[in-house]
Amino acid sequence: MTPVPLNPSDPKALLEAVLRANEGTADPRLKTVLAAAIRHLHAFALEVELQPDELQAGLDFLVAVGKATGPRKHEGILLADILGLATLVQLRGARHAVEAGGTEPALVGPFWRAGQPERANGARIASEDTPGPRLTVTGRVTDLAGAPIAGARVETWQASPKGLYENQDPAQADMNLRGRFTTDGDGRFGFVSVRPAGYPVPTDGPCGALLAAQGRHTMRPAHLHFIVAAEGFKVLATQFFDAEDPHAFDDVVFGAVGSLLRRFEPDGEGGFRLHVDLKLERGATRLPHCPLP
Ligand code: BEZ
Ligand code: FE
Protein backbone atom coordinates (compact mmCIF):
# COMPACT_ATOMS: atom_id res chain seq x y z
CA MET A 1 0.00 0.00 0.00
CA THR A 2 1.35 3.47 -0.88
CA PRO A 3 1.87 5.43 2.33
CA VAL A 4 -0.51 8.38 2.61
CA PRO A 5 0.79 11.53 4.34
CA LEU A 6 -0.99 12.25 7.58
CA ASN A 7 -3.43 15.15 7.48
CA PRO A 8 -2.66 16.81 10.81
CA SER A 9 -5.89 18.76 10.83
CA ASP A 10 -7.95 15.57 10.70
CA PRO A 11 -8.19 14.21 14.27
CA LYS A 12 -9.88 11.02 13.07
CA ALA A 13 -6.99 10.22 10.70
CA LEU A 14 -4.49 10.94 13.47
CA LEU A 15 -6.32 8.65 15.90
CA GLU A 16 -6.46 5.89 13.30
CA ALA A 17 -2.71 6.24 12.69
CA VAL A 18 -1.96 5.98 16.43
CA LEU A 19 -4.24 2.95 16.76
CA ARG A 20 -2.54 1.32 13.77
CA ALA A 21 0.82 1.89 15.48
CA ASN A 22 -0.55 -0.03 18.47
CA GLU A 23 -1.55 -3.04 16.32
CA GLY A 24 1.79 -4.78 16.83
CA THR A 25 1.44 -5.00 20.62
CA ALA A 26 2.09 -8.67 21.33
CA ASP A 27 0.21 -9.03 24.61
CA PRO A 28 -3.51 -9.11 23.64
CA ARG A 29 -4.79 -7.63 26.90
CA LEU A 30 -2.18 -4.84 26.81
CA LYS A 31 -3.18 -4.12 23.20
CA THR A 32 -6.86 -3.75 24.19
CA VAL A 33 -6.07 -1.56 27.19
CA LEU A 34 -3.71 0.69 25.22
CA ALA A 35 -6.15 1.07 22.33
CA ALA A 36 -8.94 2.13 24.71
CA ALA A 37 -6.61 4.52 26.56
CA ILE A 38 -5.55 6.11 23.24
CA ARG A 39 -9.16 6.51 22.08
CA HIS A 40 -10.27 8.04 25.37
CA LEU A 41 -7.26 10.37 25.61
CA HIS A 42 -7.85 11.71 22.12
CA ALA A 43 -11.59 12.13 22.80
CA PHE A 44 -10.79 13.92 26.06
CA ALA A 45 -8.36 16.34 24.39
CA LEU A 46 -10.93 17.12 21.68
CA GLU A 47 -13.80 17.53 24.14
CA VAL A 48 -11.99 20.18 26.23
CA GLU A 49 -9.97 21.61 23.28
CA LEU A 50 -6.84 20.94 25.35
CA GLN A 51 -4.25 23.70 24.96
CA PRO A 52 -0.48 23.02 24.74
CA ASP A 53 0.23 24.71 28.09
CA GLU A 54 -2.54 22.64 29.71
CA LEU A 55 -1.03 19.44 28.29
CA GLN A 56 2.32 20.51 29.72
CA ALA A 57 0.74 21.24 33.13
CA GLY A 58 -0.84 17.77 33.14
CA LEU A 59 2.46 16.10 32.27
CA ASP A 60 4.25 18.14 34.95
CA PHE A 61 1.61 16.97 37.42
CA LEU A 62 2.31 13.30 36.55
CA VAL A 63 6.06 13.90 36.94
CA ALA A 64 5.39 15.46 40.38
CA VAL A 65 3.32 12.38 41.35
CA GLY A 66 6.29 10.19 40.43
CA LYS A 67 8.75 12.36 42.33
CA ALA A 68 6.55 12.29 45.44
CA THR A 69 6.53 8.48 45.39
CA GLY A 70 9.15 6.49 47.27
CA PRO A 71 9.59 3.87 49.96
CA ARG A 72 7.64 6.02 52.49
CA LYS A 73 4.76 7.22 50.33
CA HIS A 74 2.95 6.19 47.15
CA GLU A 75 1.44 9.32 45.58
CA GLY A 76 0.29 7.30 42.54
CA ILE A 77 -2.02 5.16 44.68
CA LEU A 78 -3.33 8.34 46.30
CA LEU A 79 -4.09 9.81 42.85
CA ALA A 80 -6.11 6.73 41.79
CA ASP A 81 -7.90 6.89 45.15
CA ILE A 82 -8.94 10.57 45.11
CA LEU A 83 -10.19 10.23 41.52
CA GLY A 84 -12.43 7.31 42.55
CA LEU A 85 -10.61 5.01 40.12
CA ALA A 86 -9.41 2.54 42.76
CA THR A 87 -12.94 2.21 44.17
CA LEU A 88 -14.45 1.82 40.68
CA VAL A 89 -12.00 -0.93 39.69
CA GLN A 90 -12.42 -2.82 42.97
CA LEU A 91 -16.21 -2.68 43.12
CA ARG A 92 -16.53 -3.57 39.44
CA GLY A 93 -14.18 -6.56 39.82
CA ALA A 94 -16.13 -7.89 42.80
CA ARG A 95 -19.68 -7.28 41.60
CA HIS A 96 -20.57 -10.95 41.01
CA ALA A 97 -19.19 -12.00 44.41
CA VAL A 98 -21.08 -9.13 46.08
CA GLU A 99 -24.32 -10.09 44.30
CA ALA A 100 -23.82 -13.60 45.68
CA GLY A 101 -23.46 -12.25 49.25
CA GLY A 102 -19.71 -11.63 49.38
CA THR A 103 -18.23 -8.80 51.44
CA GLU A 104 -17.82 -5.60 49.47
CA PRO A 105 -14.20 -4.64 48.87
CA ALA A 106 -12.58 -1.28 49.59
CA LEU A 107 -9.31 0.15 48.33
CA VAL A 108 -6.02 -0.90 49.93
CA GLY A 109 -4.70 2.67 50.15
CA PRO A 110 -1.06 3.67 50.63
CA PHE A 111 -0.50 2.59 54.27
CA TRP A 112 -0.41 -1.23 54.25
CA ARG A 113 3.04 -2.43 55.34
CA ALA A 114 4.87 -5.61 54.40
CA GLY A 115 5.85 -7.83 57.33
CA GLN A 116 3.07 -6.82 59.71
CA PRO A 117 3.60 -8.85 62.91
CA GLU A 118 1.95 -12.25 63.30
CA ARG A 119 -0.15 -12.13 66.46
CA ALA A 120 -2.20 -14.67 68.43
CA ASN A 121 -5.97 -14.39 68.34
CA GLY A 122 -7.19 -12.09 71.12
CA ALA A 123 -3.85 -10.21 71.27
CA ARG A 124 -3.55 -6.43 71.55
CA ILE A 125 -2.44 -4.62 68.43
CA ALA A 126 -2.31 -1.30 70.34
CA SER A 127 0.73 -0.78 72.55
CA GLU A 128 -0.20 -0.07 76.19
CA ASP A 129 0.66 3.63 75.83
CA THR A 130 -1.68 4.19 72.85
CA PRO A 131 -4.33 6.64 74.07
CA GLY A 132 -8.04 6.27 73.32
CA PRO A 133 -10.98 4.03 74.14
CA ARG A 134 -10.50 0.28 73.80
CA LEU A 135 -11.98 -1.43 70.75
CA THR A 136 -12.44 -5.20 70.88
CA VAL A 137 -12.69 -6.64 67.39
CA THR A 138 -14.00 -10.10 66.55
CA GLY A 139 -14.32 -11.49 63.07
CA ARG A 140 -15.30 -14.56 61.12
CA VAL A 141 -14.10 -15.57 57.67
CA THR A 142 -16.51 -17.73 55.65
CA ASP A 143 -17.29 -18.71 52.09
CA LEU A 144 -20.33 -17.20 50.36
CA ALA A 145 -22.59 -19.89 51.85
CA GLY A 146 -21.41 -19.09 55.38
CA ALA A 147 -19.13 -22.13 55.87
CA PRO A 148 -16.10 -21.23 58.01
CA ILE A 149 -12.66 -20.92 56.43
CA ALA A 150 -10.00 -22.18 58.83
CA GLY A 151 -6.37 -21.09 58.47
CA ALA A 152 -7.16 -17.87 56.57
CA ARG A 153 -4.57 -15.11 56.83
CA VAL A 154 -6.12 -11.84 58.06
CA GLU A 155 -4.07 -8.65 57.92
CA THR A 156 -5.34 -5.53 59.66
CA TRP A 157 -4.08 -1.96 60.07
CA GLN A 158 -5.64 1.25 61.32
CA ALA A 159 -4.95 4.83 62.34
CA SER A 160 -4.72 5.87 66.00
CA PRO A 161 -7.36 7.91 67.85
CA LYS A 162 -5.30 10.91 66.67
CA GLY A 163 -5.88 9.88 63.06
CA LEU A 164 -2.27 8.88 62.35
CA TYR A 165 -0.79 5.61 61.11
CA GLU A 166 2.23 4.49 63.11
CA ASN A 167 4.60 5.22 60.22
CA GLN A 168 3.39 8.85 60.18
CA ASP A 169 3.68 9.33 63.94
CA PRO A 170 6.99 9.33 65.87
CA ALA A 171 4.98 8.89 69.11
CA GLN A 172 3.90 5.37 68.12
CA ALA A 173 5.96 2.17 68.28
CA ASP A 174 6.98 0.48 65.02
CA MET A 175 4.08 -1.66 63.70
CA ASN A 176 1.64 -0.31 66.31
CA LEU A 177 -2.03 -0.89 65.35
CA ARG A 178 -1.05 -3.48 62.77
CA GLY A 179 -1.22 -7.26 62.85
CA ARG A 180 -1.57 -10.53 61.00
CA PHE A 181 -3.88 -13.24 62.34
CA THR A 182 -4.82 -16.79 61.37
CA THR A 183 -8.43 -17.95 61.67
CA ASP A 184 -9.25 -20.87 63.95
CA GLY A 185 -11.23 -24.00 62.97
CA ASP A 186 -14.48 -22.00 63.02
CA GLY A 187 -13.06 -19.21 60.81
CA ARG A 188 -12.77 -16.83 63.78
CA PHE A 189 -10.12 -14.29 64.69
CA GLY A 190 -9.99 -11.38 67.10
CA PHE A 191 -7.85 -8.66 68.60
CA VAL A 192 -7.91 -5.76 71.02
CA SER A 193 -7.20 -2.28 69.74
CA VAL A 194 -8.28 1.33 70.25
CA ARG A 195 -11.07 3.13 68.46
CA PRO A 196 -9.58 4.72 65.32
CA ALA A 197 -10.26 8.31 64.28
CA GLY A 198 -10.85 9.70 60.81
CA TYR A 199 -7.93 11.45 59.19
CA PRO A 200 -6.95 13.60 56.22
CA VAL A 201 -5.21 11.90 53.30
CA PRO A 202 -1.62 13.16 52.82
CA THR A 203 -1.80 16.65 51.30
CA ASP A 204 1.92 17.53 51.13
CA GLY A 205 2.23 16.42 47.48
CA PRO A 206 0.57 17.14 44.13
CA CYS A 207 -2.61 15.27 45.13
CA GLY A 208 -3.05 17.76 47.99
CA ALA A 209 -2.71 20.60 45.48
CA LEU A 210 -5.29 18.92 43.23
CA LEU A 211 -7.78 18.53 46.10
CA ALA A 212 -7.27 22.21 47.00
CA ALA A 213 -7.79 23.27 43.38
CA GLN A 214 -11.04 21.30 43.36
CA GLY A 215 -12.13 22.91 46.65
CA ARG A 216 -12.53 19.46 48.20
CA HIS A 217 -12.17 18.37 51.82
CA THR A 218 -9.44 15.82 52.56
CA MET A 219 -11.03 13.52 55.17
CA ARG A 220 -11.56 9.80 55.39
CA PRO A 221 -14.09 8.46 57.92
CA ALA A 222 -12.58 6.35 60.75
CA HIS A 223 -11.99 2.78 59.62
CA LEU A 224 -10.07 -0.47 60.02
CA HIS A 225 -8.42 -2.13 57.01
CA PHE A 226 -8.48 -5.87 56.33
CA ILE A 227 -6.86 -8.08 53.73
CA VAL A 228 -7.94 -11.71 53.86
CA ALA A 229 -6.23 -14.52 51.94
CA ALA A 230 -7.11 -18.22 52.02
CA GLU A 231 -6.22 -21.19 49.83
CA GLY A 232 -8.87 -21.68 47.12
CA PHE A 233 -10.43 -18.20 47.57
CA LYS A 234 -9.99 -14.78 45.98
CA VAL A 235 -8.12 -12.27 48.13
CA LEU A 236 -10.44 -9.73 49.79
CA ALA A 237 -9.19 -6.23 50.61
CA THR A 238 -11.76 -4.19 52.50
CA GLN A 239 -12.39 -1.70 55.28
CA PHE A 240 -15.08 -1.26 57.94
CA PHE A 241 -16.12 2.31 58.72
CA ASP A 242 -17.44 4.03 61.81
CA ALA A 243 -21.06 4.82 60.86
CA GLU A 244 -21.05 7.71 63.36
CA ASP A 245 -18.11 9.51 61.76
CA PRO A 246 -19.10 12.90 60.28
CA HIS A 247 -17.57 11.80 56.95
CA ALA A 248 -19.22 8.35 56.87
CA PHE A 249 -21.15 9.40 53.76
CA ASP A 250 -18.47 11.67 52.36
CA ASP A 251 -15.17 9.77 52.10
CA VAL A 252 -12.57 11.74 50.09
CA VAL A 253 -11.57 8.49 48.32
CA PHE A 254 -15.15 7.15 47.89
CA GLY A 255 -14.37 3.86 49.66
CA ALA A 256 -17.02 4.02 52.41
CA VAL A 257 -19.82 2.17 50.66
CA GLY A 258 -22.99 1.62 52.68
CA SER A 259 -22.55 -2.10 53.34
CA LEU A 260 -19.23 -1.44 55.13
CA LEU A 261 -20.56 1.09 57.68
CA ARG A 262 -20.71 -0.31 61.23
CA ARG A 263 -21.75 0.97 64.65
CA PHE A 264 -19.00 0.52 67.23
CA GLU A 265 -21.12 -0.82 70.12
CA PRO A 266 -20.34 0.32 73.70
CA ASP A 267 -18.99 -2.60 75.77
CA GLY A 268 -20.39 -1.22 79.05
CA GLU A 269 -16.89 -0.58 80.42
CA GLY A 270 -16.00 2.59 78.50
CA GLY A 271 -14.79 0.74 75.43
CA PHE A 272 -16.39 -0.47 72.21
CA ARG A 273 -16.95 -3.71 70.31
CA LEU A 274 -16.93 -4.39 66.60
CA HIS A 275 -17.78 -7.67 64.87
CA VAL A 276 -16.96 -8.14 61.20
CA ASP A 277 -17.99 -10.95 58.87
CA LEU A 278 -15.71 -11.44 55.88
CA LYS A 279 -17.25 -13.54 53.10
CA LEU A 280 -14.89 -14.74 50.40
CA GLU A 281 -15.53 -15.90 46.85
CA ARG A 282 -13.96 -19.15 45.60
CA GLY A 283 -11.16 -18.69 43.10
CA ALA A 284 -7.59 -17.50 43.15
CA THR A 285 -6.13 -14.00 43.04
CA ARG A 286 -2.80 -12.66 44.22
CA LEU A 287 -2.28 -10.39 47.21
CA PRO A 288 -2.30 -6.74 46.10
CA HIS A 289 0.97 -4.87 45.75
CA CYS A 290 2.13 -3.80 49.21
CA PRO A 291 2.99 -0.07 49.04
CA LEU A 292 5.21 0.20 52.13
CA PRO A 293 8.14 -1.89 53.44
C1 BEZ B 1 -6.15 4.66 53.75
O1 BEZ B 1 -7.25 4.26 54.03
O2 BEZ B 1 -5.21 4.27 54.42
C2 BEZ B 1 -6.01 5.65 52.65
C3 BEZ B 1 -6.67 5.44 51.46
C4 BEZ B 1 -6.53 6.35 50.44
C5 BEZ B 1 -5.74 7.46 50.60
C6 BEZ B 1 -5.08 7.67 51.80
C7 BEZ B 1 -5.22 6.75 52.83
FE1 FE C 1 -6.76 3.94 56.13
Side-chain angles (χ1 to χ4, degrees):
M1 204 169 76
T2 328
V4 186
L6 193 63
N7 176 358
S9 64
D10 180 355
K12 197 161 165 282
L14 175 63
L15 174 60
E16 278 166 10
V18 181
L19 289 173
R20 265 198 311 277
N22 183 53
E23 278 298 303
T25 307
D27 181 319
R29 174 66 184 160
L30 180 60
K31 184 170 160 180
T32 303
V33 171
L34 284 174
I38 291 162
R39 277 190 275 105
H40 285 273
L41 281 171
H42 280 235
F44 151 71
L46 287 177
E47 181 186 322
V48 301
E49 288 293 349
L50 196 68
Q51 301 300 305
D53 60 331
E54 293 169 334
L55 174 60
Q56 189 59 49
L59 296 175
D60 290 347
F61 177 80
L62 292 180
V63 169
V65 168
K67 283 187 176 163
T69 297
R72 309 205 117 258
K73 184 159 170 273
H74 201 309
E75 193 81 2
I77 291 179
L78 188 53
L79 179 60
D81 292 347
I82 65 174
L83 294 178
L85 194 57
T87 294
L88 174 69
V89 169
Q90 275 213 312
L91 291 182
R92 189 81 188 147
R95 67 193 186 282
H96 299 304
V98 170
E99 273 163 24
T103 302
E104 238 164 341
L107 41 82
V108 176
F111 290 122
W112 179 33
R113 284 188 66 184
Q116 297 194 150
E118 184 89 48
R119 303 190 199 260
N121 276 317
R124 286 184 65 92
I125 63 167
S127 63
E128 292 292 345
D129 61 353
T130 312
R134 186 181 51 248
L135 177 67
T136 306
V137 179
T138 53
R140 190 157 186 250
V141 180
T142 67
D143 68 10
L144 297 184
I149 303 176
R153 163 179 160 175
V154 179
E155 297 240 3
T156 190
W157 67 102
Q158 65 166 83
S160 72
K162 288 189 178 152
L164 290 171
Y165 284 89
E166 107 336 286
N167 53 305
Q168 300 175 297
D169 182 5
Q172 290 184 59
D174 188 42
M175 293 290 179
N176 194 38
L177 300 174
R178 297 176 182 274
R180 183 184 293 180
F181 297 85
T182 304
T183 56
D184 68 13
D186 196 30
R188 294 183 191 275
F189 66 94
F191 54 90
V192 178
S193 185
V194 288
R195 186 171 178 163
Y199 59 83
V201 296
T203 52
D204 55 347
C207 289
L210 178 60
L211 288 169
Q214 291 181 295
R216 290 171 59 182
H217 77 75
T218 59
M219 295 300 290
R220 297 218 67 206
H223 58 273
L224 291 91
H225 291 259
F226 293 92
I227 289 186
V228 190
E231 193 67 37
F233 292 87
K234 293 186 180 171
V235 172
L236 172 69
T238 194
Q239 303 171 34
F240 290 96
F241 298 88
D242 182 348
E244 288 169 3
D245 189 290
H247 289 286
F249 298 99
D250 188 22
D251 180 359
V252 63
V253 296
F254 313 98
V257 295
S259 75
L260 301 175
L261 299 184
R262 292 288 180 283
R263 245 164 234 297
F264 293 9
E265 298 295 343
D267 64 6
E269 295 170 7
F272 296 88
R273 288 187 196 290
L274 172 69
H275 179 80
V276 296
D277 285 314
L278 294 149
K279 293 197 170 190
L280 306 193
E281 183 188 19
R282 284 190 190 275
T285 50
R286 283 199 297 264
L287 277 175
H289 171 75
C290 188
L292 291 178

